[in-house]
Amino acid sequence: MLRLLIGSLCASIIFLPSANASQPVDPSTLTGKIMSGYQGWFRTPGDGSNRDWFHYGRNFGPENFAAIEMWPDVSELDDDEKVPTAFRHEDGSVAHVFSSRNRKTVARHFQWMEEYGTDGVFLQRFIGVTRNDAGRNDNNVVMDNVRYGAEKHNRAWAMMYDLTGARPGDMMGSLVDDWKKLVDESKIREDRMYLHHNGKPVVSIWGIGFSDGRRYTLAECLELITFLKDDPQYGGNTVKVGVPTFWRTLDRDAIDDPLLHEIIRKADIVSPWTVGRYHTPREAANHTRNVAAADLAWSKENGVEYMPVVFPGFSWHNLYMGRNQPERARFNLIPRLKGEFLSTQLRGNMNNGVTMIYQAMFDEIDEATAIFKVSDNPPVGGVNRFIDMEGLPSDFYLKMLGEAAKELKQRVGR
């Protein structure tokens, strides 16, 4: 049975790294894999990006609200990876962070994936960075770091475009132009560890069909998916689409338009975004039993594969205090409960019979969904509140995900 942690016993259970830790990942299939989202969006002064403390927070210091909810564990990083801040730990020592532009640090993240037996990542690429050379070039530095880490540590990776902030015309304009450059110039689909599925390279498009007033249309989304599937030079891909939680019933967070179903049928894999849609292990269990199981059945009936999203917890106190929206600033909004919350989702989806899972996220400390190593000794003082590890070791969730990946492969015969 899946050796995941439940309830108050979590802290007393010791995991050994997964037996898959030293085995190269097979990049030819998504079946049997748990892939994490990798933001790679953290920047620091002096890293060459000219973006200051991007995604750490404007005027990043203890007397200003940060953009992060968790503090990265940098204890294993070398001196040339650590970036000092104005924050201090309880013992008075300087608190350090990292830059995603540092190749050594990104490679270290992939080393952790290898060590604990996790499968790899979808690299997030927001549509806004495709509109100009500066944004594209900055993100290409991180992309090349990911390519290096994936190659060195035999982990799979694939590109995921996030449509958040897209304007009318962006998809078949700057996004398609960017994809052509990645294929022609960067040649990402030729990487040894670039993820394939059913004999085709995988690309993901996130943000299709949400009912939150986005400026782009479903018709534009269908045109983009058709291009990625059918274009004779830049198509031929296995396309995964990130859609709202209630995509099947076309209500609540989803647009009430049957064209969304047409888009999903045109794609190959549907992946509903569930972060924040349930808040407790009981609610998570009810969701997997009553919603996700029906989603999976619909997908099978319509010839589409199904990749549910799981997440370890959620918080956005500092983030929204910094945006002067205290009414939304909820600290530890979805508690991790020492792994019980994530365990419930993993177990429920596996019991439904899924063959692949998306883990949100590997490194997103902005909303406290990260499963990489974060500190149980975050900085103190000032106005910020940081989520800690509840007394657990910093590699707790990496071990959990490695065990889950091992279990999923056993279940699907990989």
Side-chain angles (χ1 to χ4, degrees), residues 60-102:
F60 188 50
E63 302 310 319
N64 301 299
F65 284 105
I68 60 173
E69 302 287 305
M70 310 182 87
W71 199 269
D73 179 2
V74 299
S75 60
E76 297 178 27
L77 274 59
D78 295 331
D79 289 344
D80 58 352
E81 300 173 77
K82 297 178 181 179
V83 181
T85 74
F87 290 88
R88 296 293 183 270
H89 293 291
E90 189 172 12
D91 63 1
S93 61
V94 173
H96 293 81
V97 292
F98 68 89
S99 169
S100 300
R101 285 178 61 103
N102 191 316

Side-chain angles (χ1 to χ4, degrees), residues 247-399:
W247 61 275
R248 178 174 46 81
T249 52
L250 299 176
D251 57 13
R252 298 173 69 173
D253 63 347
I255 295 175
D256 183 10
D257 188 335
L259 183 56
L260 177 56
H261 288 173
E262 182 180 341
I263 292 170
I264 291 169
R265 292 188 187 99
K266 179 65 179 179
D268 301 282
I269 302 165
V270 60
S271 186
W273 184 250
T274 51
V275 175
R277 302 304 191 266
Y278 40 79
H279 294 71
T280 67
R282 175 173 291 187
E283 291 176 2
N286 287 338
H287 181 88
T288 54
R289 182 169 53 248
N290 299 322
V291 178
D295 287 351
L296 178 60
W298 186 100
S299 301
K300 290 179 177 179
E301 291 171 2
N302 287 272
V304 179
E305 295 190 75
Y306 179 70
M307 190 176 198
V309 172
V310 300
F311 64 105
F314 191 87
S315 179
W316 56 12
H317 173 267
N318 301 334
L319 188 66
Y320 273 97
M321 288 299 292
R323 294 178 180 177
N324 294 316
Q325 298 181 47
E327 70 280 0
R328 300 190 66 184
R330 300 287 299 278
F331 179 75
N332 204 18
L333 176 61
I334 305 177
R336 294 186 171 214
L337 302 177
K338 297 187 175 181
E340 182 182 0
F341 183 68
L342 178 57
S343 171
T344 300
Q345 297 168 76
L346 289 165
R347 185 175 59 250
N349 279 295
M350 287 192 199
N351 288 341
N352 281 345
V354 302
T355 61
M356 57 187 72
I357 295 174
Y358 182 91
Q359 163 67 51
M361 297 277 190
F362 185 84
D363 60 338
E364 189 167 340
I365 49 179
D366 310 57
E367 297 178 351
T369 61
I371 56 95
F372 77 159
K373 297 182 181 183
V374 299
S375 179
D376 198 40
N377 178 34
V380 297
V383 298
N384 293 278
R385 301 176 68 185
F386 296 108
I387 301 290
D388 59 25
M389 285 293 293
E390 303 178 291
L392 300 173
S394 66
D395 63 356
F396 179 86
Y397 288 95
L398 288 168
K399 288 182 177 179

Side-chain angles (χ1 to χ4, degrees), residues 122 158-159 161 179 194 201-205 228 237-240:
F122 279 94
M159 184 60 69
Y161 283 102
W179 177 247
Y194 193 86
V202 177
V203 61
S204 181
I205 304 296
L228 293 170
N237 305 289
T238 291
V239 179
K240 178 174 78 71

Side-chain angles (χ1 to χ4, degrees), residues 43-296:
R43 304 291 188 269
T44 58
D47 66 1
S49 67
N50 295 317
R51 304 185 80 177
D52 201 48
W53 295 103
F54 187 65
H55 270 276
Y56 283 115
R58 187 175 300 174
N59 300 316
F60 188 50
E63 302 310 319
N64 301 299
F65 284 105
I68 60 173
E69 302 287 305
M70 310 182 87
W71 199 269
D73 179 2
V74 299
S75 60
E76 297 178 27
L77 274 59
D78 295 331
D79 289 344
D80 58 352
E81 300 173 77
K82 297 178 181 179
V83 181
T85 74
F87 290 88
R88 296 293 183 270
H89 293 291
E90 189 172 12
D91 63 1
S93 61
V94 173
H96 293 81
V97 292
F98 68 89
S99 169
S100 300
R101 285 178 61 103
N102 191 316
R103 172 164 292 193
K104 183 187 288 189
T105 303
V106 174
R108 190 181 301 279
H109 293 164
F110 279 83
Q111 178 184 340
W112 292 344
M113 297 176 209
E114 180 181 34
E115 179 181 355
Y116 295 101
T118 67
D119 293 309
V121 299
F122 279 94
L123 175 61
Q124 315 296 294
R125 195 172 179 93
F126 285 79
I127 196 167
V129 309
T130 69
R131 297 187 187 123
N132 58 75
D133 288 340
R136 183 182 296 112
N137 293 339
D138 180 49
N139 273 253
N140 283 351
V141 171
V142 179
M143 179 185 73
D144 288 340
N145 291 345
V146 166
R147 299 172 75 181
Y148 173 81
E151 173 68 25
K152 183 175 182 179
H153 295 287
N154 295 299
R155 302 297 102 179
W157 83 280
M159 184 60 69
M160 176 183 282
Y161 283 102
D162 190 317
L163 302 180
T164 301
R167 302 177 299 209
D170 275 350
M171 276 180 255
M172 298 307 297
S174 63
L175 190 155
V176 164
D177 289 344
D178 184 71
W179 177 247
K180 289 178 178 179
K181 286 182 172 66
L182 294 183
V183 172
D184 290 340
E185 299 173 11
S186 300
K187 301 185 185 303
I188 63 171
R189 297 193 297 184
E190 299 176 23
D191 282 11
R192 180 178 67 91
M193 295 308 298
Y194 193 86
L195 183 66
H196 284 61
H197 189 65
N198 292 332
K200 301 175 182 179
V202 177
V203 61
S204 181
I205 304 296
W206 190 92
I208 297 176
F210 286 82
S211 61
D212 54 1
R214 299 182 179 222
R215 297 172 62 188
Y216 52 93
T217 66
L218 287 180
E220 291 178 276
C221 295
L222 179 59
E223 187 177 8
L224 175 61
I225 301 307
T226 300
F227 169 83
L228 293 170
K229 292 275 292 181
D230 298 340
D231 185 83
Q233 184 173 355
Y234 301 102
N237 305 289
T238 291
V239 179
K240 178 174 78 71
V241 290
V243 298
T245 300
F246 298 98
W247 61 275
R248 178 174 46 81
T249 52
L250 299 176
D251 57 13
R252 298 173 69 173
D253 63 347
I255 295 175
D256 183 10
D257 188 335
L259 183 56
L260 177 56
H261 288 173
E262 182 180 341
I263 292 170
I264 291 169
R265 292 188 187 99
K266 179 65 179 179
D268 301 282
I269 302 165
V270 60
S271 186
W273 184 250
T274 51
V275 175
R277 302 304 191 266
Y278 40 79
H279 294 71
T280 67
R282 175 173 291 187
E283 291 176 2
N286 287 338
H287 181 88
T288 54
R289 182 169 53 248
N290 299 322
V291 178
D295 287 351
L296 178 60

